[in-house]
Amino acid sequence: MLIFDLEKNGGLKQILGRGWSVPEANMFWSDGYYSSLNIPVERRDADIKLSLLLDPYVNRSSTRVQRVEIYCWGLAVGFFALNKHEMTTLEVFIPAYVTNFGVLKIDIKWPDAKSPAETGGVDKRILAAALRQVSIN
């Protein structure tokens, strides 16, 4: 298993692509309706399990659900609807053949991302989830 987080040599920061804010409290908030990850991998014969440990931005008043769409090299690999403000692990399986590229290009769409400023808060970022850890197995 390969784990990327802020506690292990800052590895999570090294795989983040577009659509992430600055680190805070051992996590990165998504910032916008789209985020990406670029995870180096060696060639494999078996499918890969990708796990994302995150805390969705949901609340009772304005954002009750955060939908999450996950793609690897354009291939849809997972769709989720999160409705609790708690650490959640999303798991998707990625076909082994994509390891031929040497990197997993992960695109994440956040269709329900919202700025806290829209509901009276001061944070103007467009938030969907705080990412704490990424692992592949």
Side-chain angles (χ1 to χ4, degrees):
M1 177 180 286
L2 187 56
I3 298 173
F4 300 92
D5 63 20
L6 282 175
E7 296 167 1
K8 298 188 184 326
N9 301 319
L12 185 56
K13 188 173 183 178
Q14 296 172 10
I15 65 169
L16 297 180
R18 298 184 309 179
W20 301 101
S21 190
V22 297
E24 49 181 272
N26 293 326
M27 64 183 86
F28 286 87
W29 277 101
S30 61
D31 190 0
Y33 299 100
Y34 164 85
S35 300
S36 65
L37 301 167
N38 299 296
I39 307 168
V41 292
E42 294 182 8
R43 186 182 164 109
R44 297 182 183 199
D45 294 326
D47 291 350
I48 295 171
K49 180 170 75 170
L50 171 70
S51 300
L52 306 175
L53 178 62
L54 51 81
D55 187 359
Y57 175 67
V58 294
N59 58 51
R60 292 182 190 158
S61 60
S62 65
T63 309
R64 295 181 182 212
V65 174
Q66 281 292 346
R67 289 174 292 159
V68 184
E69 303 173 13
I70 303 174
Y71 301 84
C72 182
W73 288 103
L75 175 69
V77 294
F79 296 90
F80 302 89
L82 308 176
N83 61 6
K84 291 185 180 173
H85 178 48
E86 64 186 16
M87 279 298 165
T88 304
T89 300
L90 305 183
E91 295 181 343
V92 298
F93 290 88
I94 298 172
Y97 71 84
V98 301
T99 62
N100 292 336
F101 300 120
V103 65
L104 299 180
K105 183 180 178 329
I106 306 296
D107 295 311
I108 306 170
K109 293 182 182 178
W110 317 98
D112 302 307
K114 192 168 199 164
S115 173
E118 293 178 39
T119 56
V122 295
D123 193 338
K124 294 182 181 180
R125 295 175 295 174
I126 299 173
L127 306 177
L131 181 66
R132 182 174 295 266
Q133 184 181 83
V134 175
S135 63
I136 57 173
N137 196 0

